[in-house]
Amino acid sequence: ALSEHARAVGRGSLVGRVLEDDLEARGFLERRGFTMVSTERPVALDLTQAPATRPTPPAGVELASLAERPDLVEVAYAVEAEAVADIPVGAERPTPRTFDAWRADTVDSPDALLDLSLVALLDGVAVGWSGLAATGEDGLWSAGLCLIAEESIRLGRPLPVGARVKM
């Protein structure tokens, strides 16, 4: 039913996630035609062993939190929308969420940690973004993807603040 619906609305593939060691789930999906297109490995930082010093950004780079710079919310979305479209997940390019859906999950969620959700600015213009949220598990936080504006990489220049924001 899900495959039929996806085809009816113009999708060419479905993407899901399964734990690498969950052989039963992997087998279930493989028997239904799913193939592996990428892998992820969770990582953790033991804060009792991590250095307490804050690294200094390179010259011209400023890290601004969404808590201190709420005017950067649309810029963070623009960076994410551009970068997500380049993440390989099979035959299709991913479609970024709408601004409203992204904002609800990333900024307005009670789990959002806006003081630790950062936009990287190079000489005052956005070049990167990463969000942080509480996971709901006892004291754990989850960092989203660290995303770099692809145009910044390709052209060797930063993405102008507010560029190509689609809402």
Side-chain angles (χ1 to χ4, degrees), residues 12-145:
S13 64
L14 296 173
V15 176
R17 293 184 178 181
V18 63
L19 296 174
E20 185 176 27
D21 62 352
D22 189 342
L23 300 179
E24 185 176 341
R26 286 179 56 193
F28 174 86
L29 293 170
E30 288 167 0
R31 288 188 299 278
R32 283 151 182 82
F34 282 80
T35 59
M36 185 178 353
V37 293
S38 68
T39 60
E40 297 177 8
R41 294 198 184 260
V43 295
L45 176 62
D46 181 347
L47 296 175
T48 64
Q49 303 296 316
T53 58
R54 182 178 183 170
T56 304
V61 174
E62 172 193 0
L63 299 177
S65 77
L66 292 183
E68 64 193 9
R69 294 280 312 270
D71 59 304
L72 294 176
V73 167
E74 291 179 5
V75 173
Y77 172 76
V79 171
E80 179 159 324
E82 180 178 316
V84 162
D86 283 337
I87 297 172
V89 291
E92 294 181 16
R93 290 182 72 138
T95 303
R97 297 179 284 179
T98 65
F99 175 77
D100 291 337
W102 174 85
R103 183 179 178 109
D105 291 342
T106 307
V107 177
D108 297 334
S109 166
D111 295 332
L113 300 169
L114 298 182
D115 55 330
L116 298 171
S117 296
L118 305 175
V119 175
L121 303 165
L122 176 60
D123 296 326
V125 292
V127 294
W129 147 253
S130 184
L132 192 68
T135 65
E137 298 176 32
D138 187 33
L140 295 178
W141 292 354
S142 175
L145 297 172

Side-chain angles (χ1 to χ4, degrees), residues 142-160:
S142 175
L145 297 172
C146 181
L147 300 162
I148 306 299
E150 189 269 336
E151 181 175 306
S152 297
I153 297 167
R154 187 178 69 248
L155 300 177
R157 62 185 166 137
L159 182 70

